[in-house]
Amino acid sequence: GAGVSQSPSNKVTEKGKDVELRCDPISGHTALYWYRQSLGQGLEFLIYFQGNSAPDKSGLPSDRFSAERTGGSVSTLTIQRTQQEDSAVYLCASSLEAGGNQPQHFGDGTRLSIL
Amino acid sequence: SQKIEQNSEALNIQEGKTATLTCNYTNYSPAYLQWYRQDPGRGPVFLLLIRENEKEKRKERLKVTFDTTLKQSLFHITASQPADSATYLCALDKKGYNNNDMRFGAGTRLTVKP
C-alpha cells in the first residue's frame, strides 16, 4: 500500500541484545518521526528527521538509542543492549514536510518485548 | 515545565450524545494544534488541524476549538456512534523553539454505548 510501513510488527528478544527497527515512509515525505508508546500511555517523542538530518534528538532516552535515515527515505531505530524498560510499541510517522501545519501519517508500529 | 493534559483517561457516553474532549497545555505557545484518533493495535490517524488564529474548525460531525488565552482545545463529536469509540490524542507544535516536531498528550479513551 501507500502508507507508512514498519517492520517487524512484533519483536521478542532477550535483555542485552541489540534490536533494529525499520520504517518505510510514504514516498515523497521529507519528514520522519519516531515515537514510543508504552502500555496505556501517550506518545513519547524520540527523534525526527528532515531529509537525512536529525534536527531534534532530544527525545532519545539514552545513548543506547540511535537512529539514522539514508537517502531521505527509510529510517532505522537501533536499541543497543536492550533493557526490560525498553518494552513498548515504537511508532513511526512521516509528513510531507516538518512542521505543525502538516498531518503526520503513522505506521502501525513495532511491538517490542524484552524478556 | 511543559505539559499537555487531556481530560480523564476515559469518557463514556450514550449513543447520539455529544462527546467533548479537552486538551490543556502549559508552557507552550503552539502555532498549530492537531487531533488524532487511535484504535487498539493501530497507529494514530490524523483528524483535524487548527491554527492559532482560528477559533473553530469543523469536519462532518467533528468540531475543534482553540483558545490560546485559556491554553485549551476542545474536541467535539456530535451525534456520537459506537464506531467513534477509540482513543483521541491532541498534539501541538513547539513554535519558538526552532523545532518542527510535535508533542502529544496521553489521550482520552472514548466509549460510546449503544
Side-chain angles (χ1 to χ4, degrees):
Chain A
V4 175
S5 177
Q6 292 189 245
S7 61
S9 53
N10 284 283
K11 177 74 176 178
V12 181
T13 193
E14 291 180 347
K15 176 182 170 182
K17 301 282 189 186
D18 297 351
V19 295
E20 193 172 276
L21 312 180
R22 177 188 166 108
C23 174
D24 219 321
I26 293 173
S27 177
H29 280 195
T30 64
L32 186 147
Y33 305 80
W34 283 100
Y35 299 91
R36 180 168 72 175
Q37 188 171 37
S38 301
L39 190 63
Q41 302 296 311
L43 273 64
E44 176 189 2
F45 169 80
L46 297 178
I47 187 171
Y48 95 95
F49 290 89
Q50 175 63 53
N52 290 338
S53 65
D56 189 357
K57 303 179 183 179
S58 64
L60 294 176
S62 75
D63 58 8
R64 296 187 295 105
F65 287 72
S66 62
E68 63 176 21
R69 188 181 187 197
T70 54
S73 183
V74 171
S75 174
T76 54
L77 176 70
T78 301
I79 309 174
Q80 295 178 310
R81 306 180 302 281
T82 52
Q83 304 293 313
Q84 287 186 330
E85 62 262 27
D86 299 334
S87 297
V89 175
Y90 289 81
L91 289 161
C92 173
S94 70
S95 60
L96 206 56
E97 294 179 354
N101 62 340
Q102 299 290 329
Q104 294 189 15
H105 301 264
F106 283 82
D108 285 333
T110 293
R111 185 175 302 276
L112 177 64
S113 299
I114 309 299
L115 302 178
Chain B
S1 63
Q2 295 177 314
K3 287 183 185 176
I4 303 172
E5 295 177 311
Q6 295 192 239
N7 64 320
S8 66
E9 286 187 14
L11 182 65
N12 298 317
I13 64 167
Q14 207 65 37
E15 183 177 7
K17 300 292 186 184
T18 296
T20 299
L21 285 65
T22 305
C23 177
N24 294 298
Y25 56 91
T26 309
N27 291 327
Y28 281 97
S29 297
Y32 303 94
L33 194 145
Q34 302 178 0
W35 283 89
Y36 290 78
R37 169 185 172 137
Q38 186 174 24
D39 291 286
R42 307 299 302 272
V45 174
F46 171 79
L47 295 174
L48 278 170
L49 177 154
I50 188 165
R51 293 171 171 75
E52 61 177 336
N53 60 355
E54 295 179 314
K55 296 283 189 213
E56 183 180 297
K57 200 82 168 279
R58 291 176 185 260
K59 179 182 175 183
E60 297 171 353
R61 294 184 296 112
L62 308 181
K63 184 177 88 170
V64 171
T65 63
F66 193 7
D67 190 325
T68 55
T69 302
L70 290 179
K71 296 186 182 297
Q72 180 182 78
S73 175
L74 299 179
F75 177 80
H76 305 273
I77 305 175
T78 58
S80 60
Q81 304 165 1
D84 295 327
S85 298
T87 296
Y88 291 86
L89 303 162
C90 69
L92 45 87
D93 70 324
K94 297 175 65 179
K95 184 182 76 168
Y97 285 81
N98 292 319
N99 287 342
N100 280 312
D101 48 271
M102 303 290 287
R103 293 291 186 269
F104 283 77
T108 297
R109 188 173 68 251
L110 173 68
T111 302
V112 181
K113 299 186 177 180

